[in-house]
Amino acid sequence: MSELAWGDLPALQRDLLLTVVRLDRDGTRATREALTEELGHSTSIGPALEDLTGSAIAIDTSSPPTYTLTPTGNRLLTQHHARVSSVLSARTSPGTVAVPYCPHCDAAITLLSPLGDSTVRATPCGCHLEVSDDDSLYKTLTNALNLTADTDARTHLRQALQLAIARGEQ
């Protein structure tokens, strides 16, 4: 079985993970009834919960059964939190960025598209950024991106590439 990734989970399963943690945080037992009440999905919650049980969610068979997160479930939420935080965090100083910013117009970069061997277009601003041919960090990250099929790893490598390109332009 392949490792679970946040982006591979259907929305209901993501909501289940978040709700289990929130109920626990609020001192409420995460029973099937509590989860159903919170999410309002009485008919479809069972299969989604069963799919996660054993991998991302553990079940305590006391009466009534209570759900908690497994280490895998905690990892998924921690990784998702880091991704969301990196996007929502504001830049605190010119040398510290949570997301890459275009060195030409200072817009947040959400995507880089190759235009040639050493030029990429930043989105959404449309600025063209040059990549130095001797930038070893860029070469290493590009090689790593080509070697992995893991979705989460590819996402993080693309983010690192964006930061490396923005860094090289400054």
Side-chain angles (χ1 to χ4, degrees):
M1 180 178 161
S2 64
E3 188 172 318
L4 284 176
W6 184 262
D8 295 334
L9 297 176
L12 180 56
Q13 290 182 349
R14 294 180 206 169
D15 290 346
L16 279 168
L17 291 175
L18 290 165
T19 305
V20 165
V21 170
R22 187 175 49 75
L23 288 172
D24 183 56
R25 179 203 65 197
D26 296 343
T28 303
R29 294 182 62 180
T31 62
R32 182 183 292 253
E33 293 75 26
L35 292 166
T36 299
E37 182 178 323
E38 289 292 317
L39 295 173
H41 293 283
S42 59
T43 58
S44 58
I45 196 170
L49 196 53
E50 289 171 16
D51 285 347
L52 288 173
T53 300
S55 57
I57 293 179
I59 184 168
D60 171 4
T61 57
S62 60
S63 183
T66 304
Y67 297 92
T68 59
L69 293 189
T70 65
T72 298
N74 280 314
R75 177 189 53 79
L76 287 169
L77 282 178
T78 301
Q79 289 173 344
H80 180 63
H81 177 265
R83 280 192 298 278
V84 170
S85 294
S86 73
V87 172
L88 297 177
S89 296
R91 185 165 30 173
T92 57
S93 69
T96 306
V97 293
V99 294
Y101 287 84
C102 177
H104 298 295
C105 67
D106 206 37
I109 296 173
T110 58
L111 178 69
L112 294 174
S113 304
L115 296 174
D117 288 342
S118 63
T119 306
V120 295
R121 182 179 59 244
T123 302
C125 64
C127 293
H128 293 199
L129 306 177
E130 295 294 322
V131 179
S132 172
D133 291 334
D134 60 345
D135 188 339
S136 61
L137 176 60
Y138 179 79
K139 287 179 184 177
T140 300
L141 291 171
T142 302
N143 289 339
L145 183 63
N146 292 329
L147 291 174
T148 186
D150 180 85
T151 305
D152 283 341
R154 291 181 65 79
T155 297
H156 293 296
L157 286 167
R158 283 190 196 99
Q159 290 171 343
L161 278 165
Q162 291 172 352
L163 290 168
I165 291 169
R167 168 200 46 87
E169 285 277 322
Q170 295 176 343

